[in-house]
Structure formats: C-alpha cells, structure tokens
Amino acid sequence: MQVFVIGAGGHAKVVVDALHRSGMTVHGLVDADPRRHGSLVLGVPVLGGDEALDPCERNRTRVVNGLGAPGPADLRARIFSAYKSRGFAFATVIDPSAVVGGDVLLEEGAQILAGAVVQASCRVGCDAIINTRAAIDHDCRIGAHAHIAPGAVLSGSVRIGERTLVGTGATVIQGRQVGSGALVAAGAVVIRDIADAARVAGNPARPIRDRDRG
Ligand code: JB2
C-alpha cells in the first residue's frame, strides 16, 4: 500500500510525523501551491498538485488529509469529498503515543494525534481530528470533519457535530451537545448545549461575533 498526504503545510507535517512514528512509509505529499513542489516535508517529497496522484492504482493507495483548519470554507471536508469522488480511500492515523480505549470506533480517515486520549466507546467520525493532547472521555460522539484542537477536553457523553471546531484548550462538560458547523473558541468552557453554526467563547461560553474570535 502506498500512502500519500494531501497538503504540505503545518498539519501535514504533524500527520507525516505520526505516520513515521507508526512505522509507515509516506511516499509523497501533494499541495496546491506550486512553490512547495519539489520541497521536502520531514524528508518526504512534495510531488506536485492533486493531479499528481491521478496515475495511482486506487486499491494500492491510501491518502491522508493533511489540511488542518476546517474554517468557514470547509476546505478539509471539500478535499475529503473530492478525493472520495476520485476513488481514493483515506487511512486513519493513530499516533503511537495516543491512548485509544476499548470499543472505540474510528471512521475512515479519522486522526488521533500525539498524546491524545480517546476513552472507551467513543465514536470518531470520518475525517475528524483529535489533535495533540486533546482528551475525549467515554461515549463521546465526534462528527465527520470535526476538529478537536490541541489540549481541548471533552467530558463523557459529549456530542460534537459535523465540521465543528473545538478550539485549543476549550472544555465541554459532560453530556453537552455542540451542533454542526459550530466554533468553540480557544479556552471556552461549554456548560450548555450549543446550536448548529453558533460561535461561542468565554467561561461560561456565550455567543460571539466573528471579530471577537481572537
Ligand atoms: O485543494 C488543495 C489545497 N488547498 C490548499 N489541495 C492540496 N493538495 N493542497 C491544498 N492546499 C495547501 O494546504 C496549501 O497550499 C498549503 O500549503 C496547505 C495548508 O497549509 P497551512 O500550514 O496553511 O495550514 P494547515 O491546514 O496545514 O495547518 C493549519 O491547521 C492546523 C490544525 C495551521 O493553522 C496549523 O498551525 C494548525 N496546527
């Protein structure tokens, strides 16, 4: 199986490193920016743009989403759909330093990065990221393409909707639900349910306007 990483920026570097630590060989990266072509990321070459993977035999190839930020444009989710339409399958990434409990379900392309803890019976949706040292306790449900940023903490039975970003160091107490397409700003403490597309910050977390995001 040949493994390629999509994107060659900050998040791609983190996933290449996790794959290397897992003993996997990464065959190359692809990036939309031609200035990156021919460069190396942790010793792995940036081969070209997305079209560089056209010749790959799909049943002998796995791709990894190296785009980190979900953002309003949902670039990460769009990349995932575009590659699925082209017939590619996504590898899951589990850094060897992560703790993954029993009865945990990781869907296609889920990423559990360095030092993360995913406790028993959690479900991590396709293409979702549990980033560096994030901790999600028992029975959490993380939606597709969601991003639990470094150091965020979710207590037990929390639900996070699709494409939602839980920012660096944010906390969600047990049993709360955060809707789809939402943003929980860095350091926020969520003690009530959060609606779809809401943007919240602070302790306790309250709605914010874009310019307050920091
Ligand atoms: O359609 C695309 C495409 N669009 C942008 N296809 C491919 N193959 N690559 C694409 N890119 C490339 O993704 C850009 O040209 C750029 O090189 C890369 C994104 O890199 P950047 O470092 O800007 O963002 P990132 O998503 O890797 O990392 C962000 O999110 C992480 C979670 C940063 O904020 C990091 O600090 C953060 N840890």
Side-chain angles (χ1 to χ4, degrees):
M1 205 58 85
Q2 294 203 305
V3 177
F4 297 93
V5 172
I6 307 160
H11 189 64
K13 183 181 288 185
V14 169
V15 293
V16 167
D17 212 19
L19 290 163
H20 283 167
R21 276 196 293 274
S22 310
M24 295 175 72
T25 300
V26 181
H27 290 80
L29 302 94
V30 290
D31 196 283
D33 183 350
R35 289 170 301 182
R36 293 201 191 261
H37 300 170
S39 65
L40 297 174
V41 174
L42 300 179
V44 180
V46 182
L47 304 171
D50 295 300
E51 67 290 347
L53 301 190
D54 283 344
C56 293
E57 274 184 60
R58 302 313 195 242
N59 59 358
R60 297 188 59 231
T61 301
R62 291 290 178 270
V63 290
V64 172
N65 200 341
L67 274 294
D74 288 331
L75 179 58
R76 181 178 171 81
R78 281 196 284 116
I79 294 272
F80 186 86
S81 306
Y83 272 78
K84 290 298 288 178
S85 323
R86 292 167 63 196
F88 288 100
F90 281 76
T92 56
V93 178
I94 305 176
D95 191 287
S97 65
V99 174
V100 178
D103 186 36
V104 166
L105 176 63
L106 304 181
E107 294 186 347
E108 181 177 354
Q111 301 178 356
I112 315 297
L113 298 174
V117 178
V118 179
Q119 288 283 24
S121 304
C122 286
R123 178 177 180 145
V124 181
C126 71
D127 193 43
I129 304 172
I130 312 298
N131 216 331
T132 312
R133 293 201 71 182
I136 69 174
D137 221 287
H138 64 92
D139 298 295
C140 285
R141 298 283 179 272
I142 310 299
H145 316 293
H147 183 167
I148 312 303
V153 176
L154 312 184
S155 289
S157 302
V158 164
R159 286 174 186 263
I160 303 293
E162 294 187 3
R163 292 172 288 100
T164 285
L165 171 63
V166 178
T168 303
T171 299
V172 183
I173 68 164
Q174 67 279 0
R176 298 303 183 262
Q177 301 193 18
V178 179
S180 298
L183 171 89
V184 176
V189 178
V190 173
I191 60 169
R192 295 187 189 87
D193 290 352
I194 304 294
D196 291 348
R199 291 164 179 265
V200 300
N203 178 6
R206 298 183 195 286
I208 51 166
R209 292 162 298 191
D210 258 2
R211 67 167 186 253
D212 300 325
R213 281 169 60 176

